[in-house]
Amino acid sequence: MAASGGGGRAIRVLNVAEKPSVAKTVSGILSRNQGLRMREGRSRYNKIFEFNYTIQGQPCQMMFTSVTGHLMEMEFEGRYRKWHSCDPVDLFEAPIRKHVPEDKLDIRKTLEEEARKCQWLVLWLDCDREGENIAYEVVEVCLNVNSRLNIWRARFSSLIDREIHQAAQQLARPNQLFSEAVDVRQEIDLRIGASFTRFQTMLLKDAFDFNFSTDGRNLILSYGPCQFPTLGFVVERYWEIQAHEPEEFWKIQCSHTTDEGTANFNWMRGHLFDYTCAVLLYEMCVEEPTATVTKVKKQEKLKYPPHPLNTIELEKRASRYFRMSSEQTMKIAEDLYQSGFISYPRTETDSFSTRTDLHILVQEQQEHPVWGPYAQRLLDPSSGLWRNPSGGGHDDKAHPPIHPTKFSAGESRWSEDHKKLYELVVRHYLACVSQPAVGAETTVEIDIAGEMFSALGRTIVAKNYLEVYRFESWGGSLIPNYTFGQQFTPTSLTLESGITRPPPLLSESDLLDCMDKAGIGTDATMHDHIKKLTDRFYAIKEGSHFKPTNLGEALVMGYDDMGYELWKPYLRSMMEEDMKAVSIGNKRKDDVLATCLQQMKACFLDARVNKTKLFQALEIFFDRTNRTTGGDDQHNHAQQLVRKCDVCHDSDLVLRKKPDGKFMIGCSGYPQCRNVIWLPGSISEAVVTTTVCNICTPGPGFMIQFTFRRLEIPPNFNVHHLGCVGGCDDIMRQLIEMSGSGQRNTSSAPARGRGIAAPSRNDSRNNNTNNQQQQQATCSFCHQTGHNSSDCYSLTSQNRSARSQRVNSNNGDSPIPCPTCGSLCVLKTANTESNRGRKFYSCQTQGCKFFVCWEDSVPTTRGGGSGSATTTSRRGGRGGGGGGGQGGGDVRFVSATGDPVSGRSCFICGDPSHFANVCPNRGMRN
DNA sequence: GCAAGGTC
């Protein structure tokens, strides 16, 4: 700002902060606590501080008060606020207004009273987009009562003396673009949220018998651009788990024990899914069990302490360490903050400003009976324990990372959760300013009969931060000393089996991570979105993991079947990009609003036309009620007879109008008879006439006079149509097909499970024809019935390519390209007692685990007796989950058809009474 | 009775 000339009469300045605590702190800093007075405002939380200050030579009489976040809310005007006052689609254009809600009126009153007395208004809101928007809300209120106000913006990124004084001396103007970006978000959120929520709720709430208790609450099937993608994450993981098919795998384990300890060597192939391959390799190892050390690598490893704590990390860690919900964490953190024990808990920042005095914070903790001694050592330069914390690269420019602000050895009023959370904040802070843990790691690799194994030994040289951060550990294991070229005989060498496991349900920590990565919600709201899922009966929490309810799954399924990704995070990400463009002036507010709302309205209309998908999805889980219309429907017309029901031959098909204004024809014998004919969503009126169709049987079938909405049907169709729903009417049939509706299949309930992880438009779970075809199919690959080769269990993308390479280009002697890593696989011949002469391909690249048996020489284990080479090994499990957990289990001998083989003797000792996996001599052979 | 964002 320009200098205002010094020395004149003091001007009165109204200063407004985003929250009471900032008003208090900034007042303290600016006044240097000299002559600082406090008086009550109209709101009990928002006090007014008074002091004198000089801005660029201009004496100022400062009045410093605050708001509590947003002062205003956006809402629909008058008649659009009632749910049944309008068609939900009208909410995309309905007039909206920003207004001060009831519970903020007292704050407005304070602002008005103070603004009248002042010449300047200085806005001390947080320096982010929301803060700028709140600034304009304050401006609007103040200008209303004093249009001559000179308006300034103070920009500061932390509550540090120098920065606050600097902000006061370098006042600027508020940034309109930042504020407009928030206006865009608010309007889009409101219009999309309200329209879809009303649509879903009115469509489905009374149409199904939701078999869960709502605890007396009104059931609302809400939609929101943050809550739905959050639900999407939960459902997607659930589907991934359901789609998982366990697979058995095999691996060779080797251990070696000496006086110095035990080394457990892991097979560098990981595990193989093919039993024959695994046995073949295992036998080779057992035949020539001498291990040769091929590599010994010793190095120092550091384990670094975590970055300074921000909100998401606090929530994730409290969930992991204490199983505390993010909602509870924030509630407790807020309480600790309010009582002055920790810093502001809603922050994205994970690095400390260089101006923060980090030592003072440690000094305060020296007295603590448990971690006090550690704090003392930290402060002792001779300990060498101190380290300036590294930052995680996030900075909201408004708040520091969460850290302790006041010492406490535990307050009497604290709950267990208070104690845990305070301890986490303190220990985390102490860890941040500590040296990393130091370990000495030894990696040893050995070769047994050409197979590679590796073992890792670690000793912790210095625990450092791990001493105070008890929530983390660093496993260490001592292994014997090895030298390059050394040979030894393993103590045990076993072939073990396991099965792949699906990934777990999403934990709260996982969910926060998904949201954070996808930009769903803000650090201050993420826990609200998670809680909303349980409040709306969309998900339940099992321990610390989230599982979708039938309702949550059905809603996502419905939209997925429509082909919409409303439950995916992309919509929010696009909005976020647009907001950013508005805030930097690359896009205009009105353009973004118009484009986004136009797209969402088209999507809404389309969803409404395709609402049968939602019905079908919900029917998988819930019974229909006979309340096909909402009980509070003002537009409910009398039912009109169309014809006799052709399914139950007992009741009548009747025309009804539903609460959302749409028409349907259903059997009056519902729920005993569920025959229903869905009509196009483009109908605005429908009246059964007395005209009888003379084509359709059984008669009489009364024709219906339809009126369609012009914009929702193709131009070549007439808006008025006297139609028949008995099957003779091509126009009706075409319109129904266009809207994706049709008569529901009443013969059987759709299959409930879905075997997919990825979104599918055309999956066959509701398609009986597909299922029948599947059951009759014979796989051309494994020759088993019940599936086609495209779905063959034995056929992943990897072994598909292996197969085609084998068939197309190889006669069995020359190297083949490795389907896994692209390198070469060479043909080898086994030379063990039981497998002598058998040929197999093995990839030459170290670390690549591709391995395939050659069909002429080895029988297959899967896929029947065709002799096809299905014996391809595979790496890892599905879904990138690292192959899942590993179960124990016995080694079984299996035949080419997969049946256990009897009469086979142990290949280690030859005893027919047992198999090699339980052979007493299996550990070793001399 | 709807959203998400502030904050108490």
Side-chain angles (χ1 to χ4, degrees):
Chain A
M1 65 170 279
S4 312
R9 217 168 127 241
I11 53 170
R12 291 170 69 89
V13 180
L14 172 59
N15 299 270
V16 183
E18 189 161 320
K19 41 192 161 280
S21 62
V22 172
K24 185 179 179 187
T25 308
V26 174
S27 297
I29 292 172
L30 292 181
S31 68
R32 301 181 204 277
N33 288 320
Q34 302 289 308
L36 179 63
R37 303 171 299 281
M38 185 187 85
R39 60 185 166 88
E40 295 294 320
R42 297 278 174 173
S43 147
R44 57 183 285 227
Y45 299 111
N46 306 83
K47 316 288 183 193
I48 304 161
F49 300 89
E50 290 189 359
F51 53 94
N52 295 324
Y53 189 68
T54 303
I55 299 176
Q56 297 214 351
Q58 168 67 58
C60 298
Q61 192 182 342
M62 305 284 266
M63 252 73 70
F64 215 125
T65 188
S66 55
V67 286
T68 46
H70 276 288
L71 183 59
M72 295 182 168
E73 268 178 16
M74 199 172 262
E75 66 168 15
F76 293 109
E77 275 191 3
R79 77 179 189 87
Y80 294 92
R81 288 209 287 276
K82 286 238 184 291
W83 275 45
H84 291 284
S85 63
C86 65
D87 186 326
V89 76
D90 296 342
L91 298 178
F92 283 95
E93 280 114 21
I96 48 172
R97 66 183 184 114
K98 274 187 103 171
H99 76 121
V100 180
E102 196 75 21
D103 61 340
K104 300 282 174 74
L105 288 177
D106 46 5
I107 297 177
R108 181 175 78 178
K109 195 148 195 188
T110 303
L111 291 175
E112 287 170 344
E113 287 173 358
E114 301 304 317
R116 280 196 189 97
K117 299 183 279 190
C118 292
Q119 287 96 56
W120 284 16
L121 170 63
V122 180
L123 302 152
W124 292 82
L125 287 307
D126 291 356
C127 283
D128 52 24
R129 286 202 302 245
E130 295 294 334
E132 214 65 21
N133 191 264
I134 300 170
Y136 277 88
E137 293 171 358
V138 173
V139 168
E140 188 183 325
V141 164
C142 293
L143 278 184
N144 258 341
V145 296
N146 182 354
S147 60
R148 294 187 312 279
L149 274 175
N150 197 350
I151 293 160
W152 297 103
R153 180 79 162 99
R155 296 191 194 285
F156 59 103
S157 60
S158 61
L159 297 174
I160 293 171
D161 289 26
R162 200 179 67 185
E163 196 161 334
I164 294 300
H165 284 289
Q166 203 171 30
Q169 297 303 324
Q170 295 176 355
L171 297 176
R173 300 294 181 187
N175 183 340
Q176 178 109 27
L177 294 177
F178 266 47
S179 174
E180 285 183 357
V182 173
D183 288 337
V184 170
R185 178 199 55 75
Q186 288 179 336
E187 186 170 338
I188 292 173
D189 284 346
L190 176 65
R191 292 190 188 279
I192 296 177
S195 56
F196 274 90
T197 300
R198 289 187 194 179
F199 160 66
Q200 285 184 171
T201 307
M202 294 195 290
L203 179 71
L204 304 169
K205 188 181 81 158
D206 291 323
F208 290 92
D209 182 11
F210 295 108
N211 50 4
F212 51 81
S213 162
T214 57
D215 302 328
R217 278 182 289 155
N218 216 354
L219 184 65
I220 298 169
L221 305 180
S222 64
Y223 173 85
C226 285
Q227 52 176 275
F228 240 58
T230 307
L231 172 63
F233 291 129
V234 174
V235 172
E236 203 160 31
R237 173 57 66 90
Y238 181 68
W239 285 348
E240 209 178 314
I241 293 167
Q242 289 203 319
H244 178 83
E245 291 171 30
E247 279 188 274
E248 196 167 21
F249 61 79
W250 310 87
K251 60 175 182 173
I252 304 175
Q253 280 291 118
C254 170
S255 75
H256 183 222
T257 304
T258 72
D259 298 344
E260 298 170 325
T262 295
N264 288 309
F265 288 91
N266 294 313
W267 197 16
M268 286 171 75
R269 288 185 191 275
H271 52 247
L272 299 184
F273 286 90
D274 188 273
Y275 173 72
T276 307
C277 293
V279 163
L280 192 127
L281 293 169
Y282 178 53
E283 288 181 358
M284 285 168 63
C285 291
V286 173
E287 296 278 338
E288 300 174 53
T290 303
T292 307
V293 177
T294 57
K295 185 174 170 186
V296 178
K297 190 176 164 192
K298 295 189 175 182
Q299 59 181 345
E300 185 184 86
K301 275 282 171 77
L302 299 178
K303 184 175 169 67
Y304 282 92
H307 298 308
L309 203 53
N310 63 14
T311 304
I312 297 168
E313 271 307 307
L314 177 72
E315 290 172 356
K316 282 162 69 174
R317 286 174 191 262
S319 170
R320 277 211 302 274
Y321 303 151
F322 314 132
R323 296 187 160 229
M324 205 183 283
S325 74
S326 50
E327 190 214 357
Q328 171 73 352
T329 299
M330 291 314 288
K331 210 169 118 193
I332 302 287
E334 179 68 27
D335 200 33
L336 289 172
Y337 162 67
Q338 290 296 334
S339 44
F341 292 101
I342 65 170
S343 63
Y344 188 68
R346 286 180 287 273
T347 174
E348 289 172 37
T349 311
D350 56 11
S351 49
F352 281 102
S353 154
T354 48
R355 285 162 297 190
T356 310
D357 190 339
L358 300 168
H359 286 81
I360 286 184
L361 301 176
V362 179
Q363 278 167 20
E364 291 223 329
Q365 299 295 332
Q366 288 184 99
E367 302 309 312
H368 196 275
V370 180
W371 55 74
Y374 185 88
Q376 286 167 21
R377 279 180 46 216
L378 255 180
L379 293 170
D380 176 3
S382 67
S383 73
L385 194 53
W386 181 276
R387 167 181 161 272
N388 283 330
S390 62
H394 301 94
D395 190 351
D396 61 15
K397 306 279 183 196
H399 308 285
I402 303 166
H403 61 272
T405 48
K406 189 161 76 179
F407 171 77
S408 174
E411 306 294 306
S412 56
R413 67 168 196 90
W414 278 5
S415 67
E416 282 305 307
D417 284 352
H418 282 82
K419 289 178 198 160
K420 285 179 188 164
L421 216 60
Y422 181 73
E423 181 182 348
L424 172 59
V425 171
V426 175
R427 286 187 186 268
H428 194 103
Y429 176 73
L430 296 176
C432 286
V433 294
S434 299
Q435 290 288 348
V438 185
E441 275 188 10
T442 307
T443 311
V444 180
E445 287 179 18
I446 56 168
D447 178 325
I448 304 176
E451 290 302 299
M452 305 300 293
F453 299 80
S454 79
L456 177 74
R458 182 190 296 128
T459 49
I460 296 178
V461 178
K463 284 187 81 176
N464 293 337
Y465 88 92
L466 286 175
E467 274 183 52
V468 74
Y469 207 55
R470 65 174 179 86
F471 315 109
E472 279 184 1
S473 61
W474 202 22
S477 64
L478 211 57
I479 61 171
N481 273 315
Y482 293 95
T483 52
F484 179 79
Q486 176 188 341
Q487 293 199 316
F488 62 88
T489 303
T491 311
S492 74
L493 195 58
T494 55
L495 182 63
E496 292 175 5
S497 75
I499 54 165
T500 60
R501 299 252 169 83
L505 288 165
L506 282 186
S507 69
E508 187 141 7
S509 176
D510 297 332
L511 192 51
L512 287 162
D513 216 33
C514 291
M515 296 169 76
D516 188 27
K517 288 199 172 87
I520 300 298
T522 66
D523 52 288
T525 60
M526 281 184 192
H527 67 274
D528 286 334
H529 302 312
I530 294 176
K531 181 164 184 292
K532 190 146 275 176
L533 298 191
T534 51
D535 286 351
R536 295 280 189 241
F537 310 103
Y538 290 168
I540 52 163
K541 209 169 173 187
E542 285 185 352
S544 56
H545 291 77
F546 287 93
K547 185 178 172 182
T549 61
N550 289 339
L551 177 60
E553 186 182 356
L555 287 173
V556 170
M557 210 184 254
Y559 285 111
D560 189 38
D561 287 347
M562 284 183 206
Y564 294 135
E565 298 194 319
L566 290 172
W567 55 283
K568 296 264 193 179
Y570 315 130
L571 174 66
R572 194 67 185 175
S573 305
M574 274 163 49
M575 280 169 60
E576 186 61 36
E577 271 175 38
D578 278 344
M579 277 194 292
K580 184 142 199 190
V582 170
S583 73
I584 57 176
N586 284 354
K587 283 190 182 177
R588 288 182 50 235
K589 168 186 168 178
D590 291 343
D591 293 343
V592 169
L593 264 177
T595 312
C596 181
L597 290 174
Q598 191 184 15
Q599 286 169 352
M600 285 311 295
K601 184 182 175 185
C603 181
F604 178 89
L605 288 170
D606 212 38
R608 194 154 74 174
V609 169
N610 284 309
K611 61 180 179 288
T612 41
K613 300 284 186 192
L614 279 172
F615 274 103
Q616 286 166 353
L618 266 86
E619 277 169 359
I620 294 173
F621 302 103
F622 304 105
D623 287 332
R624 289 290 294 266
T625 62
N626 51 11
R627 306 191 302 275
T628 49
T629 61
D632 52 355
D633 177 24
Q634 300 160 5
H635 308 289
N636 196 2
H637 289 194
Q639 300 178 355
Q640 305 172 63
L641 170 67
V642 178
R643 56 186 289 188
K644 201 82 182 164
C645 176
D646 54 338
V647 170
C648 68
H649 304 290
D650 188 30
S651 302
D652 297 322
L653 287 175
V654 290
L655 175 72
R656 296 190 187 111
K657 189 173 186 182
K658 299 186 294 148
D660 60 357
K662 303 301 169 203
F663 290 87
M664 66 164 289
I665 294 170
C667 182
S668 59
Y670 185 89
Q672 283 75 29
C673 174
R674 297 181 171 216
N675 191 15
V676 61
I677 300 173
W678 297 104
L679 298 170
S682 46
I683 298 169
S684 63
E685 271 311 319
V687 180
V688 179
T689 65
T690 51
T691 311
V692 173
C693 172
N694 51 18
I695 300 172
C696 293
T697 54
F702 295 101
M703 298 186 77
I704 303 171
Q705 182 64 51
F706 293 103
T707 308
F708 300 103
R709 276 185 285 273
R710 176 73 277 170
L711 293 176
E712 294 176 31
I713 58 170
N716 54 327
F717 282 72
N718 201 314
V719 289
H720 301 294
H721 175 65
L722 181 66
C724 172
V725 292
C728 68
D729 187 336
D730 276 347
I731 290 175
M732 279 308 290
R733 196 159 45 224
Q734 285 173 40
L735 286 172
I736 287 170
E737 276 170 14
M738 276 176 228
S739 64
S741 307
Q743 187 164 358
R744 191 177 49 161
N745 185 343
T746 53
S747 59
S748 68
R752 196 175 154 131
R754 53 181 298 155
I756 50 134
S760 72
R761 311 278 164 263
N762 301 312
D763 88 69
S764 58
R765 64 182 179 280
N766 292 337
N767 191 328
N768 295 323
T769 315
N770 273 2
N771 289 340
Q772 283 163 12
Q773 285 168 352
Q774 287 261 318
Q775 279 160 18
Q776 290 159 7
T778 301
C779 174
S780 59
F781 183 47
C782 73
H783 299 281
Q784 291 182 335
T785 55
H787 64 272
N788 292 306
S789 60
S790 58
D791 300 314
C792 182
Y793 170 73
S794 315
L795 208 55
T796 64
S797 57
Q798 282 183 14
N799 45 31
R800 266 180 206 137
S801 64
R803 182 176 61 131
S804 67
Q805 280 153 1
R806 176 179 59 75
V807 170
N808 296 336
S809 64
N810 204 281
N811 61 11
D813 289 331
S814 50
I816 60 167
C818 175
T820 303
C821 72
S823 176
L824 281 184
C825 298
V826 297
L827 192 67
K828 292 182 175 177
T829 305
N831 194 29
T832 62
E833 195 176 319
S834 47
N835 282 301
R836 186 159 292 126
R838 287 182 175 178
K839 292 179 176 178
F840 61 95
Y841 278 103
S842 177
C843 181
Q844 288 305 93
T845 304
Q846 195 173 10
C848 176
K849 302 174 180 75
F850 183 77
F851 179 91
V852 63
C853 290
W854 184 243
E855 64 170 314
D856 297 331
S857 50
V858 185
T860 60
T861 54
R862 281 200 190 111
S866 70
S868 297
T870 59
T871 51
T872 308
S873 72
R874 278 193 268 159
R875 306 174 67 186
R878 71 185 68 228
Q886 298 174 5
D890 296 335
V891 174
R892 290 177 291 115
F893 288 111
V894 286
S895 71
T897 54
D899 299 317
V901 173
S902 56
R904 165 96 195 240
S905 54
C906 171
F907 69 81
I908 296 175
C909 67
D911 187 337
S913 68
H914 64 262
F915 291 151
N917 59 313
V918 291
C919 177
N921 301 314
R922 72 174 176 163
M924 197 45 336
R925 274 210 205 166
N926 294 317

